[in-house]
Amino acid sequence: MRPALALPVLAALLLAQPAAAQVAAPDSGDTGWMIACALLLLLAALPGLMLRHAGLANVRHGLAAMAQTLVAGATILLGWGLAGYSLAYAPGSEWLGGGSNLLLANLAPLRDGLTVPESAFVLFQMGFAVLAGAISVGAIAGRARLGWVAIFAPLWLLLVFAPIVHWMWGGGWLAQLGAMDFAGGLVVHVLAGFSALALALVAGHPRDAQGGGHAHILAIAGGALFWVGYAGAVGGWALGATDDAATAILNLFFAACAASLGWALVDRLLGAHASATGLLSGAIAGLAAISASAALVGTGGAMLIGLAAAIIARIGAGFASAWIDDPAHIFAVHGLGGATGALLLPLFVLPLLGGVGFDAGITATASLLAQAIGLVVIALWALVGTAIAALIVSILVPLRATPQAETDGPDAVEHGQQGWDFR
């Protein structure tokens, strides 16, 4: 079955089924592949984003940025096991999953319709949850208290992330409408990008004038880890060690490379330096864009999607920097990059352009309308839900530290350490 045609069927198959319904045994090769892809995703989410956020932060905020990314990942991971997976994937309504998999109870020996045990599927999906949350909190690295992040992240998981996963990947109403997202263009990147925008607006600008980007080498190393680790996202969503997995990873790299060079080209056309960090920002914009269609488009389509995303994200980053403080350009790179790829999917999935095509009765126009609805709904839910969660937590724990603590730096004030010791 062609990947594009399989997506509506896949959404239905991903709904959890009772263990008694299973008759086959897991495939060890596919199971090993899913576990390896999950670990690649966690590599992108934790060391990758920790280094990237730290390098793009103020010199007195580097450790705090890493700690906040780590704490967000840890609390989201725990929340995923407690209730997040069940709300996203257990049988329920079109709007939210049920409670049959709370505390990961009743996991099937074999995920219905797949060749892997449900525990491997849970692990793989947990990587997406940690990744999306770690991306989002990067927008406020160094400005938020660690305790605030620890409470906010699991609340965001349950209020914002899990419902959207259910709508798109758990057989919910957006999937039934026809919106498509192969590996997270909408569910991860648009969601995280617009969540980051909400957090940046709620947090406001830093009180000091020291600026960010104190260790660009760390930011580049983290971005490269994120790039390679994210291959696990598109490869794993083939749900087995198949030709679709290899095709998706190839297209990921084609899109990211085209986007990296496209970002640098726009830099030069705008009269700026082709910065080294910009090369990685472009690559990440490209992989955000291709996520929605990685196994569904041809080689040329992947390159053009990546290039278009880089141009839009680079221009968007220039405009956004005038009114929000977002040193990693999370809103532009992930939000606008993912949105570009999601909207271009109906065009580049056409066989004329090297894609796999649509099923009978589905047109590019209908698909574009479904993609646009999915994009608007997810962006608005991310903005509003994230802002609500942030304000609720702020009632319990102030988001920002005191002016003096921000001036002294959260590395010393909250952690009693410095990122760099020059003695």
Side-chain angles (χ1 to χ4, degrees):
M1 183 181 293
R2 293 182 299 177
L5 311 186
L7 286 175
V9 178
L10 178 62
L13 291 177
L14 290 181
L15 292 174
Q17 300 293 328
Q22 313 302 327
V23 295
D27 181 274
S28 61
D30 288 343
T31 301
W33 174 249
M34 289 285 285
I35 293 172
C37 287
L39 295 177
L40 279 174
L41 262 175
L42 292 171
L43 182 73
L46 294 177
L49 287 175
M50 287 168 67
L51 288 170
R52 180 167 171 80
H53 294 163
L56 293 173
N58 182 295
V59 68
R60 297 190 305 276
H61 298 174
L63 279 181
M66 296 185 98
Q68 288 168 12
T69 304
L70 176 60
V71 165
T75 53
I76 286 172
L77 189 152
L78 294 174
W80 186 250
L82 290 170
Y85 175 75
S86 190
L87 294 177
Y89 284 107
S93 69
E94 295 181 356
W95 298 92
L96 196 64
S100 60
N101 296 130
L102 293 174
L103 289 170
L104 300 185
N106 305 312
L107 295 185
L110 186 70
R111 179 78 179 181
D112 190 61
L114 305 181
T115 57
V116 300
E118 190 169 8
S119 58
F121 182 76
V122 172
L123 176 64
F124 177 63
Q125 293 300 319
M126 183 179 72
F128 283 102
V130 173
L131 185 78
I135 292 171
S136 300
V137 300
I140 54 172
R143 279 176 288 166
R145 296 172 187 257
L146 190 65
W148 186 92
V149 173
I151 300 172
F152 166 80
L155 179 60
W156 174 89
L157 170 76
L158 301 178
L159 181 65
V160 179
F161 183 79
I164 288 177
V165 171
H166 185 74
W167 299 346
M168 285 295 302
W169 289 343
W173 70 277
L174 284 179
Q176 295 175 26
L177 183 68
M180 293 188 292
D181 185 4
F182 177 76
L186 289 169
V187 174
V188 174
H189 294 284
V190 169
L191 169 59
F194 280 85
S195 293
L197 174 60
L199 288 176
L201 291 172
V202 171
H205 286 271
R207 294 188 176 102
D208 63 81
Q210 295 295 319
H214 82 282
H216 292 143
I217 288 178
L218 292 183
I220 292 170
L225 272 174
F226 184 90
W227 179 353
V228 176
Y230 197 76
V234 298
W237 253 120
L239 302 174
T242 64
D243 175 64
D244 289 339
T247 298
I249 294 174
L250 282 170
N251 282 339
L252 176 84
F253 279 89
F254 292 142
C257 290
S260 179
L261 298 177
W263 187 290
L265 176 62
V266 175
D267 273 342
R268 295 299 295 150
L269 291 175
L270 294 176
H273 292 288
S275 67
T277 52
L279 290 169
L280 260 299
S281 293
I284 294 172
L287 64 84
I290 199 61
S291 295
S293 60
L296 313 179
V297 299
T299 299
M303 294 178 182
L304 290 173
I305 288 172
L307 181 61
I311 293 171
I312 291 172
R314 173 60 183 86
I315 294 172
F319 284 110
S321 62
W323 48 281
I324 60 170
D325 182 71
D326 184 8
H329 301 307
I330 292 172
F331 167 64
V333 168
H334 296 276
L336 298 183
T340 301
L343 293 178
L344 289 178
L345 184 156
L347 174 63
F348 286 100
V349 80
L350 294 172
L352 180 65
L353 298 176
V356 298
F358 295 104
D359 203 351
I362 299 177
T363 65
T365 301
S367 178
L368 179 60
L369 179 61
Q371 293 299 97
I373 293 172
L375 171 61
V376 171
V377 167
I378 290 173
L380 287 176
W381 188 269
L383 274 171
V384 175
T386 301
I388 291 173
L391 293 173
I392 290 173
V393 176
S394 296
I395 296 172
L396 304 173
V397 179
L399 191 162
R400 300 282 292 264
T402 64
Q404 185 60 49
E406 287 197 17
T407 300
D408 294 339
D411 289 6
V413 173
E414 284 207 296
H415 304 290
Q417 297 172 310
Q418 296 290 341
W420 309 100
D421 189 346
F422 296 105
R423 290 178 297 175

